[in-house]
Amino acid sequence: MTQNRNGTGQSRAAEQRSRGGGQGEAGGRNRDERRAATGQRATAGRADRSAEQRPARATTKSKTAASQGAPGVGRSARHENVDPPRSIARDVLRAVRERDAYANLVLPALLRDRGLSGRDAALATELAYGACRSLGLLDAVIAQGAGRPIEEIDGPLLDVLRLGAYQLLRTRIGAHAAVDTSVALARGEFGAGKAGFVNAVLRRAGERTTEQWVEALAPADPVGRLAFEYAHPVWIAQAFADALGARAGELREALAADDARPLVHLVARPGDITAEELALVIGGEEGRWSPYAVYLEGGDPGKLEPVREGMAAVQDEGSQLVALALTRAALDGEDNGRWLDLCAGPGGKAALLGAIAAIDGFRVDAVEPAEHRAELVRKTVRDLPVDVHVADGRASGLTRGYDRILVDAPCTGLGALRRRPEARWRRTPGDVRELVVLQRELLTAAWDLLRPGGVVVYSTCSPHLAETVSIVADGVRRLGAEQLDTRDLLPGVTDVGDGPAAQLWPHRHGTDAMFLAALRKPR
């Protein structure tokens, strides 16, 4: 095995990767003028930045949302003189229910379309995302107040009831305002009769506190009770408890963190801007674990100049750590600079890998089977040494001999529920059964493309045991893989489990619940 200064088969950029450097000449990607301008702004920020930064409001910019989010949403709200933030939140709930839309795509389009910003936009965001997250609890209370199953309530009326119940049970909005604004929404669209029904149901909902409703309606078993209290399906709460293992006593903390609004995480692209510079320019805070991470309280990241210029991007810190782990893993033999992201869409990890690969003049292949998602990857990795291939990762047609391969496998996404408010109510246990077959096949395909002495990092944004340790254990058994201690690839990151794999958690690390394991192919 070829060893470098630290006794591993890492490239000469490894030390820079660990400490967030990599501002060298390789890759032809120096953007001197932009970096100089950014450096001037960062220097000014050091002198002028106040102790308290005013957080921007939370929205997410998306071209997809502009084309898919607004049409067919809020048919009557555009003509209402009723509370614009609540009208928008109601219309987000309707789009999610009627069209299986994604709230984080629909909401920004509606905010732009109706010209909401500042506090009104923040209120609409809180109500829309919060109600989407809380459906299980809200529906149980609504059914109790209505005296009938929610399936017997007209869908558009149910949207209004959910919005009102969320304000009553999970915000500090006064009961009078929560009820009256909901009644006004119902009256404006449906007339006085249904408005009276909304008034009656919400007044019953407001007769008890959230804690009292939990006492009255939650299942008796401990996991079921916590699932109800923190608005998760029971099967997901049980999956979290199983993954926590001997530390299942942390389940309440884990569910609470999963139910809270997360910070925005940005990645400072190596070679373009440092995390310190990015934090100073945008008024953020440097991350705890990744040398490229920056935290932002909220706001629309797409409006930030470093993001517009491609010097930074939105990426959860846990995802950054997955990509970094691949670059830090010890190879048996030289790193010849052939790296592969086998499941690349929408391109965040491929971009970080490409920026790091550029330091040594390496290249990355990125595979994505869907053309529209492959186009997203191309836009994300522009100007980077990344080649995008539209292919099924299980039969990519690529030439064997890769040094490093990332298999960030399609999964249930249970580890990112806090960022996808409606997702917890769409997934079912049956999804796991279907996905584990695909995950196993992708890991096998990666193994076939890997050279002897090379490393595969398998990761999922899910802590579910069937998608994580079970897949890895099966791969070790079938493929004869040597499993590396992944904890060694996350320097400074604490409390990731007993090894050799690593599990991140929102309540421990402030990241999505990313799982990662590193497998080396024997010579």
Side-chain angles (χ1 to χ4, degrees):
M1 174 176 173
T2 301
Q3 295 186 334
N4 291 318
R5 60 189 173 277
N6 58 359
T8 68
Q10 299 183 55
S11 69
R12 63 184 173 84
E15 184 178 350
Q16 291 176 307
R17 298 167 199 162
S18 296
R19 66 172 186 258
Q23 308 296 326
E25 298 178 349
R29 302 186 53 253
N30 293 325
R31 299 173 181 174
D32 296 334
E33 293 182 2
R34 282 192 289 179
R35 280 185 50 76
T38 302
Q40 292 171 2
R41 290 190 294 273
T43 301
R46 291 185 182 96
D48 300 335
R49 186 181 178 192
S50 63
E52 295 293 331
Q53 296 289 345
R54 182 179 63 188
R57 298 302 192 263
T59 61
T60 303
K61 200 171 185 69
S62 169
K63 291 184 179 180
T64 305
S67 62
Q68 296 181 359
V73 178
R75 294 180 293 274
S76 64
R78 296 169 189 264
H79 306 290
E80 293 170 357
N81 292 318
V82 179
D83 196 75
R86 290 175 174 84
S87 296
I88 286 179
R90 183 269 321 272
D91 291 343
V92 172
L93 295 180
R94 182 170 300 177
V96 170
R97 177 183 51 78
E98 290 184 345
R99 301 190 287 110
D100 282 340
Y102 294 99
N104 67 330
L105 299 183
V106 173
L107 177 64
L110 288 176
L111 293 174
R112 289 194 300 270
D113 185 51
R114 301 183 196 174
L116 255 66
S117 60
R119 291 184 177 181
D120 283 346
L123 176 60
T125 300
E126 168 61 25
L127 297 182
Y129 289 174
C132 284
R133 282 196 304 268
S134 308
L135 289 189
L137 171 65
L138 302 180
D139 286 355
V141 174
I142 290 168
Q144 191 76 6
R148 69 184 76 167
I150 60 166
E151 291 78 13
E152 297 180 9
I153 301 174
D154 289 344
L157 204 59
L158 181 60
D159 299 329
V160 175
L161 288 168
R162 285 168 168 170
L163 180 60
Y166 177 74
Q167 294 173 75
L168 286 169
L169 299 176
R170 307 201 93 187
T171 75
R172 296 181 179 179
I173 294 171
H176 181 79
V179 174
D180 283 3
T181 53
S182 300
V183 170
L185 281 175
R187 182 183 295 112
E189 187 169 4
F190 309 115
K194 292 186 177 181
F197 174 70
V198 168
N199 181 67
V201 172
L202 292 182
R203 290 195 181 280
R204 292 189 193 110
E207 290 173 355
R208 297 179 179 180
T209 65
T210 306
E211 293 74 18
Q212 289 170 335
W213 279 118
V214 171
E215 287 293 332
L217 301 178
D221 67 285
V223 172
R225 180 185 174 87
L226 288 173
F228 185 84
E229 183 177 354
Y230 292 102
H232 283 69
V234 175
W235 76 272
I236 293 180
Q238 186 61 59
F240 282 20
D242 293 342
L244 288 166
R247 296 176 63 174
E250 296 179 11
L251 181 60
R252 175 183 292 277
E253 190 178 0
L255 293 175
D258 203 47
D259 201 37
R261 184 196 300 179
L263 296 173
V264 175
H265 288 189
L266 300 178
V267 58
R269 179 169 288 180
D272 286 344
I273 191 171
T274 67
E276 180 186 14
E277 291 169 340
L278 179 61
L280 288 167
V281 167
I282 67 173
E285 178 185 354
E286 290 183 65
R288 287 191 294 167
W289 314 114
S290 165
Y292 307 118
V294 172
Y295 307 151
L296 195 63
E297 285 289 337
D300 185 348
K303 293 181 178 179
L304 299 172
E305 183 177 356
V307 174
R308 292 199 312 269
E309 294 185 355
M311 303 171 73
V314 177
Q315 186 176 45
D316 183 79
E317 189 173 20
S319 294
Q320 298 176 40
L321 291 175
V322 168
L324 287 169
L326 180 68
T327 70
R328 293 166 174 167
L331 306 177
D332 186 353
E334 292 286 351
D335 191 334
N336 300 302
R338 288 195 68 202
W339 298 359
L340 171 63
D341 184 350
L342 194 61
C343 311
K349 295 183 183 69
L352 182 53
L353 288 173
I356 294 172
I359 297 169
D360 283 325
F362 294 166
R363 296 199 69 83
V364 179
D365 284 311
V367 173
E368 166 54 47
E371 174 57 42
H372 71 282
R373 283 173 61 85
E375 183 59 27
L376 290 176
V377 179
R378 293 187 191 100
K379 292 178 180 178
T380 303
V381 302
R382 63 185 182 277
D383 301 327
L384 292 171
V386 179
D387 301 307
V388 181
H389 306 265
V390 181
D392 188 325
R394 294 168 293 183
S396 64
L398 296 172
T399 304
R400 297 175 180 176
Y402 287 95
D403 301 284
R404 304 178 189 271
I405 301 179
L406 175 62
V407 181
D408 183 39
C411 66
T412 55
L414 301 188
L417 296 178
R418 62 195 189 131
R419 299 192 186 278
R420 300 177 183 127
E422 71 288 322
R424 68 189 66 184
W425 309 109
R426 288 181 175 170
R427 285 299 189 187
T428 69
D431 295 331
V432 179
R433 291 190 292 272
E434 295 177 3
L435 284 163
V436 295
V437 175
L438 175 60
Q439 291 158 359
R440 187 180 299 114
E441 291 172 346
L442 286 167
L443 181 56
T444 301
W447 197 253
D448 186 55
L449 292 170
L450 189 69
R451 71 160 175 84
V455 171
V456 167
V457 166
Y458 172 85
S459 69
T460 61
C461 189
S462 170
H464 197 296
L465 295 179
E467 300 186 89
T468 57
V469 294
S470 293
I471 294 292
V472 173
D474 175 73
V476 170
R477 177 183 57 81
R478 288 188 301 107
L479 306 172
E482 174 192 358
Q483 187 167 1
L484 306 180
D485 194 330
T486 312
R487 296 172 297 179
D488 296 338
L489 310 181
L490 303 173
V493 185
T494 58
D495 212 9
V496 294
D498 297 328
Q503 178 67 62
L504 302 171
W505 289 98
H507 69 288
R508 294 182 191 169
H509 307 100
T511 68
D512 291 345
M514 299 295 301
F515 168 88
L516 57 158
L519 306 177
R520 187 163 56 202
K521 193 171 191 176
R523 282 186 174 275

